[in-house]
Amino acid sequence: MEIGVIGLGHMGIGIARNIAKAGHRLTVWNRDPAKTDALVAEGAVRAASPAEAAQGELVVTMLANDAAVEAVTFGEKGILQANSRAIHVSMSTIAPTLVTRLDTAHREAGMRFLSAPVFGRPDVAAAGALNIVAAGDADLIAACQPLFEAIGQRVFPVGDRPEQANIVKLSGNFMILAAVESFAEAMALGEKNGVAPATFVEVMTETLFGGRSHRVYGEILAEQRFRPAGFTAPLGLKDMNLVASLANDSRVPMPVLGVIRDHLLSAMAREGEDLDWSGLALAVRADAGL
Amino acid sequence: MEIGVIGLGHMGIGIARNIAKAGHRLTVWNRDPAKTDALVAEGAVRAASPAEAAQGELVVTMLANDAAVEAVTFGEKGILQANSRAIHVSMSTIAPTLVTRLDTAHREAGMRFLSAPVFGRPDVAAAGALNIVAAGDADLIAACQPLFEAIGQRVFPVGDRPEQANIVKLSGNFMILAAVESFAEAMALGEKNGVAPATFVEVMTETLFGGRSHRVYGEILAEQRFRPAGFTAPLGLKDMNLVASLANDSRVPMPVLGVIRDHLLSAMAREGEDLDWSGLALAVRADAGL
Amino acid sequence: MEIGVIGLGHMGIGIARNIAKAGHRLTVWNRDPAKTDALVAEGAVRAASPAEAAQGELVVTMLANDAAVEAVTFGEKGILQANSRAIHVSMSTIAPTLVTRLDTAHREAGMRFLSAPVFGRPDVAAAGALNIVAAGDADLIAACQPLFEAIGQRVFPVGDRPEQANIVKLSGNFMILAAVESFAEAMALGEKNGVAPATFVEVMTETLFGGRSHRVYGEILAEQRFRPAGFTAPLGLKDMNLVASLANDSRVPMPVLGVIRDHLLSAMAREGEDLDWSGLALAVRADAGL
Amino acid sequence: MEIGVIGLGHMGIGIARNIAKAGHRLTVWNRDPAKTDALVAEGAVRAASPAEAAQGELVVTMLANDAAVEAVTFGEKGILQANSRAIHVSMSTIAPTLVTRLDTAHREAGMRFLSAPVFGRPDVAAAGALNIVAAGDADLIAACQPLFEAIGQRVFPVGDRPEQANIVKLSGNFMILAAVESFAEAMALGEKNGVAPATFVEVMTETLFGGRSHRVYGEILAEQRFRPAGFTAPLGLKDMNLVASLANDSRVPMPVLGVIRDHLLSAMAREGEDLDWSGLALAVRADAGL
């Protein structure tokens, strides 16, 4: 297929490379064009604008935040001006309300839109092993299978309204931080009573909580390895605020979300903004006098 | 070895049977002696009192609450009156403060005490596959290996002060309910936005949260299968109150624990006390107008 | 003085009338001009646009929300196009970030801006007894004394940055709902133990909490008089979200704010959106099974 | 009347003196008899035991905690062994469950019991201006009028079950700390945005929150005057734990209570146990990086 990729950050670069590796024709665009050099050297075509990157069958966006997605879509020479039949596959973690707006705008422009955010860090993207959460028309999900096979290990269709994929993705991030928070509370209790953090983590991950999140963050918590950040606290807070905004509009009280946000704020207020998002544990520790 | 088992409820019966199956000489005692009949028919000896059940090398207690453990230990013809060298292996989920008191009392009586609560439901106990959290003198843990091999799949030594095992066990129960709470909040958000609960659970358990607790409780939550209770809400609340009491004495704020307790109270206030402890999700749902 | 008033809702009408009664020359503008009829009949001048209402020495805005203030200020024939030296006295409860933006815009337009939100319901506005929280240049506060004397009982200068007045005003609303929340929790506890709500309110207001908020809301809570709303739950939620946004930007955890917001959401989810903001007590009651 | 007073701490001394001043015959007992010297010098009779202090028509107990009240009531030569018809007027802030137990025990012993805890600090007790919350048989409340007139400014009958008075008293203490907590959150928000704490307190107490609690604690918070303690954080925590225990048994979720307890724990963990109970504000400040 002819596939464009817009956004070549830590995640986008891995995605783009796996698309090329699978034999698709790859076109790339990035705000800072220097980041496209390596891929062009490997055979990709450099597009002059987002619209130009959207001339093929699919155009993937993988960007940092709502504003960046808005810019490449609605902006000058943006995707909506492609005058093509490309399916825009949005993989960024953005607000569900923006996704709804994007979907409508694409329909009005005669284009098609699919939301497909992913679970997985940059190393997983590089390995082509992302988990993809997709929402939108079933036809579009089917049409994107070649893309998904190139970059991911599994696709989870979660609904026919594109914003539902983002709700699932954001909820997953909420559940990660809820796991971090409860781990941190229990570990503070244990530590004050002489139970070694690493011991507690081992018991939990070898019995009740053997999944990936608990293994990854249990180790980080036991070692208090919050810098350098894998995913920063301000980015985590941004996602939690998106969840809170949705919860507000949906009239869903989420008290654990409130605890998480307060601890992120507290950790940033005391430790600075370069912390890993799991550094909210430092607020838990400080509150316990540790 | 000669091993006594005191307490033949859902958990104790499986433990006792696996002890016998492993070739140890089994003596049993239960407040209601009728519950010993089956095991006696299978070859076990019926003790006339807790003290008599403690004449061998080990005596296991597996009882419902603090009061029951106090009764068989400190009461008339209780374990402390055994005048033996038996190691008392306490497997019940009881207050850390009681465990400390038991340890001291056994030392004063010239006996030995080990705390070894377990993770695993009755079916796991029956299968001899419990996970055992042990704390106390390393010598005692070593001496109990034949017992642990008979009933469990793995032993986790977590410290040399017996109450530490109970802190880890209670913290594990806290983490289970924290997982239920965060799952319930996210699922309410999803459900109000058209994401099917079972779909959300599948995405989570197949990606970030593949451990046992999330699989077991994710399914219960998706099906809203809160009755009959596997472990009742009042028992869950009792455990959470033990955690809260310890957190209070240790000066450790645990806000997620507060959320859990409030939701358990609310669920019981509205739904009655026969709910499964994971039924705290019903409070989350009701608060969202679901 | 020549004073314009923009916004003749429940609050603005009382303010305008007291300005006229004090002998100032009154000009009025309202989006729906029908609402100006009564005042014009009483002698006020009807302005054709916000800009025209800003030709005197002062122009007061008292509007429902951020969007309305933005419209009359930045819009076509808005205040910023008045080409006058009027001081814009903003009395609406709006976002501190908007206030900062308004202040800057006025300076750039060669105009002057003062923020002066008020405490007091429509009856208090009609009586000319508002409490005014003012922030901005001391010169401007001084220049507005004739206005403040006409409409209020007291002026509280709280800082020289206009947004500070709005922070104090919003914090006051937060404190009102915090008082409602704690009252509701204590009353639910009492009621379940046979203490009559009205009795509890009487003890509190006659001893520890004799201030106006506790008297007003204690009575509402004891009588469960949540409809018709004096100030609706959605408006209360809007204010709490403004506080939350500021707290987020300022890195200030506010856990009681989280409780309040969750209970507002829950009350609206279950009872509809026509509740008084103090109807968050219904969430507290429902959670207790009352 | 002949009135005994048991417990001559900061509160009891003032109460006893006002009883004598009103012309009643005063008998006193204190665990440390040295504390009775001053009153005996002023004309009071020193009792040799609690039972002896209960030979008159009324015997007042004003003690620090449950254990002290249990000792003077159930202990050797305790009140229940007075073999008199004295009404035991319990003024201490103790657990509602203990009050119920005391009531039953007095009935069984042919004695009478009334619960009458008070609002007011030692200076108020010395001035004879306490507010008295009374619960029990109306006859007993009537019989105690001469006592109440001697020591208080007003009596609030709140129910016919003695423990109801303690529920109201404890709820009042909860409401005080809820006011402190919300004040502290708002003041942290203001302070980070340049609003002076004393200014915020003034606006609140002169407008919405003019009652005694807000005036007293607003000043303490603005000055951060948390030492020496008027009422220590551990005593405050003890009272909040009594509320939590009652809420637990009554199935009443109280999330603001959870916030308060966590902040008391956090403040003590970081600052030590000699803080005033309003020092929970230091946890709020630390969490905001102040």
Side-chain angles (χ1 to χ4, degrees):
Chain A
M1 300 179 87
E2 290 189 35
I3 303 177
V5 173
I6 292 174
L8 296 172
H10 297 307
M11 294 295 292
I13 189 88
I15 289 170
R17 223 166 235 143
N18 282 307
I19 288 170
K21 197 189 299 178
H24 301 295
R25 264 161 305 170
L26 177 67
T27 303
V28 293
W29 185 89
N30 196 73
R31 195 175 50 171
D32 171 2
K35 289 202 176 167
T36 61
D37 291 349
L39 286 165
V40 169
E42 290 162 30
V45 174
R46 180 187 287 120
S49 67
E52 196 176 303
Q55 297 303 320
E57 294 156 85
L58 305 180
V59 58
V60 171
T61 49
M62 179 48 110
L63 296 155
N65 53 41
D66 285 26
V69 176
E70 290 180 282
V72 303
T73 306
F74 298 108
E76 204 182 342
K77 299 191 184 166
I79 293 172
L80 288 174
Q81 295 173 13
N83 198 18
S84 81
R85 282 289 294 158
I87 302 171
H88 177 178
V89 184
S90 167
M91 295 195 146
S92 315
T93 301
I94 53 178
T97 47
L98 174 55
V99 171
T100 307
R101 201 149 62 84
L102 288 166
D103 186 41
T104 303
H106 282 75
R107 287 177 196 274
E108 289 171 0
M111 296 182 71
R112 293 168 298 168
F113 179 82
L114 185 71
S115 183
V118 298
F119 287 113
R121 306 282 279 252
D123 57 324
V124 180
L130 294 167
N131 279 300
I132 299 157
V133 180
D137 288 347
D139 286 357
L140 298 186
I141 295 177
C144 291
Q145 280 307 320
L147 164 67
F148 296 153
E149 275 159 30
I151 65 171
Q153 60 173 289
R154 186 158 167 191
V155 183
F156 297 89
V158 298
D160 53 12
R161 283 156 38 203
E163 71 273 19
Q164 292 172 325
N166 297 266
I167 292 172
V168 169
K169 162 69 184 178
L170 288 167
S171 294
N173 281 2
F174 158 69
M175 292 218 14
I176 290 172
L177 287 187
V180 168
E181 169 72 30
S182 54
F183 236 149
E185 293 186 13
M187 287 164 76
L189 183 68
E191 189 173 335
K192 278 202 141 178
N193 287 282
V195 177
T199 300
F200 183 70
V201 170
E202 189 197 4
V203 176
M204 289 299 112
T205 54
E206 293 293 307
T207 59
L208 301 163
F209 296 100
R212 187 145 55 84
S213 288
H214 283 83
R215 290 190 179 276
V216 168
Y217 289 101
E219 190 178 303
I220 288 173
L221 290 169
E223 300 177 357
Q224 294 202 51
R225 188 162 35 82
F226 302 122
R227 291 185 180 92
F231 187 67
T232 66
L235 287 173
L237 180 63
K238 186 207 68 171
D239 283 1
M240 294 307 102
N241 284 341
L242 291 177
V243 178
S245 176
L246 179 67
N248 190 76
D249 295 345
S250 309
R251 306 289 186 244
V252 177
M254 295 181 72
V256 169
L257 177 64
V259 173
I260 289 170
R261 293 169 80 205
D262 280 339
H263 283 172
L264 281 170
L265 291 177
S266 182
M268 286 188 273
R270 291 190 275 211
E271 299 272 342
E273 314 239 330
D274 63 327
L275 273 186
D276 190 75
W277 65 339
S278 61
L280 66 83
L282 291 175
V284 176
R285 291 179 60 78
D287 286 350
L290 287 170
Chain B
M1 298 179 88
E2 290 189 35
I3 303 178
V5 173
I6 293 174
L8 296 173
H10 296 308
M11 294 295 291
I13 189 88
I15 289 171
R17 224 166 233 143
N18 281 308
I19 288 171
K21 197 190 297 178
H24 301 293
R25 264 161 305 169
L26 176 68
T27 303
V28 293
W29 186 88
N30 196 73
R31 196 175 50 172
D32 171 3
K35 288 201 175 167
T36 62
D37 290 350
L39 287 165
V40 169
E42 291 164 30
V45 174
R46 180 187 288 119
S49 68
E52 197 177 302
Q55 296 303 319
E57 293 156 84
L58 304 180
V59 58
V60 171
T61 49
M62 179 49 110
L63 297 154
N65 54 40
D66 286 25
V69 176
E70 290 180 282
V72 303
T73 306
F74 298 109
E76 204 182 343
K77 297 192 185 167
I79 292 173
L80 288 174
Q81 295 173 14
N83 198 20
S84 80
R85 283 290 292 158
I87 302 171
H88 178 178
V89 184
S90 168
M91 296 196 146
S92 316
T93 300
I94 53 179
T97 48
L98 173 57
V99 170
T100 307
R101 199 150 63 84
L102 288 167
D103 186 41
T104 303
H106 281 75
R107 286 179 196 276
E108 289 171 1
M111 296 181 73
R112 291 167 298 167
F113 180 82
L114 186 70
S115 184
V118 298
F119 287 113
R121 306 283 280 250
D123 58 325
V124 180
L130 294 167
N131 279 300
I132 299 157
V133 180
D137 290 346
D139 286 358
L140 298 186
I141 296 176
C144 291
Q145 280 307 320
L147 165 66
F148 295 153
E149 275 160 29
I151 65 171
Q153 61 174 289
R154 185 156 167 193
V155 183
F156 296 89
V158 297
D160 53 13
R161 283 158 37 203
E163 71 272 18
Q164 293 171 326
N166 296 268
I167 292 172
V168 169
K169 162 69 183 177
L170 288 167
S171 294
N173 281 2
F174 158 70
M175 293 216 15
I176 290 172
L177 287 187
V180 169
E181 169 71 30
S182 53
F183 237 148
E185 292 185 14
M187 287 164 76
L189 183 67
E191 189 172 336
K192 277 202 141 179
N193 287 282
V195 177
T199 301
F200 183 71
V201 169
E202 189 197 4
V203 176
M204 290 297 114
T205 54
E206 294 292 307
T207 58
L208 301 164
F209 297 100
R212 188 146 54 85
S213 287
H214 283 83
R215 290 190 179 276
V216 169
Y217 289 101
E219 189 178 304
I220 289 174
L221 289 169
E223 299 177 358
Q224 295 202 51
R225 187 164 34 83
F226 301 122
R227 292 185 180 91
F231 187 67
T232 66
L235 287 174
L237 180 62
K238 186 207 69 172
D239 283 0
M240 293 307 101
N241 283 341
L242 291 177
V243 177
S245 176
L246 178 67
N248 190 75
D249 296 345
S250 308
R251 305 288 186 246
V252 177
M254 295 181 73
V256 169
L257 176 64
V259 173
I260 289 170
R261 292 170 80 204
D262 280 339
H263 283 172
L264 281 171
L265 291 177
S266 181
M268 286 188 274
R270 289 190 275 210
E271 298 273 342
E273 314 239 330
D274 62 328
L275 273 186
D276 191 76
W277 65 338
S278 62
L280 66 83
L282 291 175
V284 175
R285 291 178 60 79
D287 286 349
L290 288 170
Chain C
M1 299 179 88
E2 291 189 35
I3 303 178
V5 173
I6 293 173
L8 297 172
H10 297 307
M11 295 294 293
I13 188 87
I15 288 171
R17 226 167 232 141
N18 281 307
I19 288 171
K21 197 189 298 178
H24 301 294
R25 263 161 306 170
L26 177 67
T27 303
V28 293
W29 186 87
N30 195 73
R31 195 175 49 171
D32 172 2
K35 288 202 177 168
T36 61
D37 291 348
L39 287 165
V40 169
E42 291 162 29
V45 175
R46 180 187 286 119
S49 67
E52 196 176 303
Q55 296 303 320
E57 293 156 86
L58 305 180
V59 59
V60 170
T61 49
M62 179 48 110
L63 297 155
N65 53 40
D66 286 26
V69 176
E70 290 180 282
V72 302
T73 306
F74 298 108
E76 204 182 342
K77 298 193 185 165
I79 293 172
L80 288 174
Q81 295 173 15
N83 198 19
S84 80
R85 283 289 294 158
I87 302 171
H88 177 178
V89 184
S90 167
M91 296 195 145
S92 315
T93 301
I94 53 179
T97 48
L98 173 56
V99 170
T100 307
R101 200 149 62 83
L102 288 166
D103 186 42
T104 304
H106 282 74
R107 287 177 196 275
E108 289 171 0
M111 295 181 73
R112 292 167 299 167
F113 180 82
L114 185 70
S115 183
V118 299
F119 287 113
R121 306 284 278 251
D123 57 324
V124 181
L130 294 167
N131 279 299
I132 299 157
V133 181
D137 288 346
D139 285 358
L140 298 186
I141 296 178
C144 292
Q145 279 307 321
L147 165 67
F148 295 153
E149 274 159 30
I151 65 170
Q153 60 173 289
R154 188 159 166 189
V155 183
F156 297 89
V158 298
D160 53 13
R161 283 157 37 204
E163 71 272 19
Q164 292 172 325
N166 297 266
I167 291 172
V168 169
K169 162 69 184 178
L170 288 167
S171 294
N173 281 2
F174 158 69
M175 293 219 11
I176 290 172
L177 287 187
V180 169
E181 169 72 29
S182 55
F183 236 149
E185 293 185 12
M187 286 164 77
L189 183 67
E191 189 173 335
K192 278 202 141 180
N193 287 281
V195 177
T199 300
F200 183 70
V201 169
E202 189 197 3
V203 177
M204 290 298 112
T205 53
E206 293 292 308
T207 60
L208 302 164
F209 297 99
R212 187 146 56 84
S213 287
H214 283 83
R215 289 190 181 275
V216 169
Y217 289 101
E219 190 178 304
I220 289 173
L221 291 169
E223 299 177 359
Q224 294 203 51
R225 188 161 35 82
F226 302 123
R227 291 186 180 91
F231 187 67
T232 65
L235 287 173
L237 180 62
K238 185 208 69 171
D239 282 1
M240 294 307 101
N241 284 342
L242 290 177
V243 178
S245 175
L246 178 67
N248 190 75
D249 295 344
S250 309
R251 306 289 186 244
V252 177
M254 295 182 72
V256 169
L257 177 64
V259 172
I260 289 169
R261 293 169 79 205
D262 280 339
H263 283 172
L264 281 171
L265 291 177
S266 181
M268 286 187 274
R270 290 189 276 209
E271 299 272 342
E273 314 239 329
D274 62 328
L275 273 186
D276 191 76
W277 64 339
S278 62
L280 66 83
L282 291 175
V284 175
R285 290 179 61 80
D287 286 349
L290 286 169
Chain D
M1 298 180 87
E2 291 189 34
I3 304 177
V5 173
I6 292 173
L8 296 173
H10 296 307
M11 294 295 290
I13 189 87
I15 288 171
R17 225 167 233 143
N18 281 308
I19 288 171
K21 197 189 297 179
H24 301 296
R25 264 161 305 169
L26 177 67
T27 302
V28 293
W29 185 87
N30 196 74
R31 195 175 51 173
D32 171 2
K35 288 201 177 170
T36 61
D37 291 349
L39 286 166
V40 169
E42 291 163 30
V45 174
R46 180 187 287 119
S49 67
E52 196 176 303
Q55 296 303 320
E57 293 155 86
L58 305 179
V59 57
V60 171
T61 49
M62 180 47 111
L63 296 154
N65 54 40
D66 286 26
V69 175
E70 291 180 283
V72 303
T73 306
F74 298 108
E76 204 182 342
K77 298 191 185 166
I79 292 173
L80 288 174
Q81 295 172 13
N83 198 21
S84 79
R85 282 290 292 158
I87 302 170
H88 178 177
V89 185
S90 168
M91 296 195 144
S92 315
T93 301
I94 54 178
T97 47
L98 173 57
V99 170
T100 306
R101 201 151 61 84
L102 287 166
D103 186 43
T104 303
H106 281 75
R107 287 178 197 274
E108 289 172 0
M111 296 181 73
R112 292 167 299 167
F113 180 82
L114 186 69
S115 183
V118 298
F119 287 114
R121 306 283 280 250
D123 57 326
V124 180
L130 294 167
N131 280 299
I132 299 158
V133 180
D137 289 346
D139 287 357
L140 297 186
I141 296 177
C144 292
Q145 279 308 320
L147 165 67
F148 295 153
E149 276 159 29
I151 65 171
Q153 60 174 288
R154 186 157 167 192
V155 183
F156 296 89
V158 297
D160 53 12
R161 284 157 38 203
E163 70 273 17
Q164 292 172 325
N166 296 267
I167 291 171
V168 169
K169 162 69 183 175
L170 288 167
S171 294
N173 281 1
F174 159 69
M175 294 220 8
I176 290 172
L177 287 187
V180 169
E181 169 71 29
S182 54
F183 237 150
E185 293 185 13
M187 287 164 75
L189 183 67
E191 190 173 334
K192 278 201 141 180
N193 288 282
V195 177
T199 301
F200 183 70
V201 170
E202 190 197 3
V203 177
M204 289 298 113
T205 54
E206 294 293 307
T207 59
L208 301 164
F209 297 100
R212 188 145 55 83
S213 287
H214 283 83
R215 290 190 179 276
V216 168
Y217 289 101
E219 189 179 305
I220 289 174
L221 290 169
E223 300 178 357
Q224 295 202 51
R225 187 162 36 82
F226 301 123
R227 292 185 180 91
F231 187 67
T232 66
L235 287 174
L237 180 62
K238 185 207 69 172
D239 283 0
M240 294 307 101
N241 283 341
L242 291 177
V243 178
S245 175
L246 179 67
N248 190 75
D249 295 345
S250 308
R251 306 289 185 245
V252 177
M254 295 181 72
V256 169
L257 177 64
V259 173
I260 289 170
R261 293 169 80 204
D262 280 340
H263 282 172
L264 281 171
L265 291 177
S266 182
M268 287 188 273
R270 290 190 276 209
E271 298 273 342
E273 313 238 331
D274 62 328
L275 273 187
D276 191 75
W277 65 338
S278 61
L280 66 83
L282 292 175
V284 175
R285 290 178 60 78
D287 286 350
L290 288 171

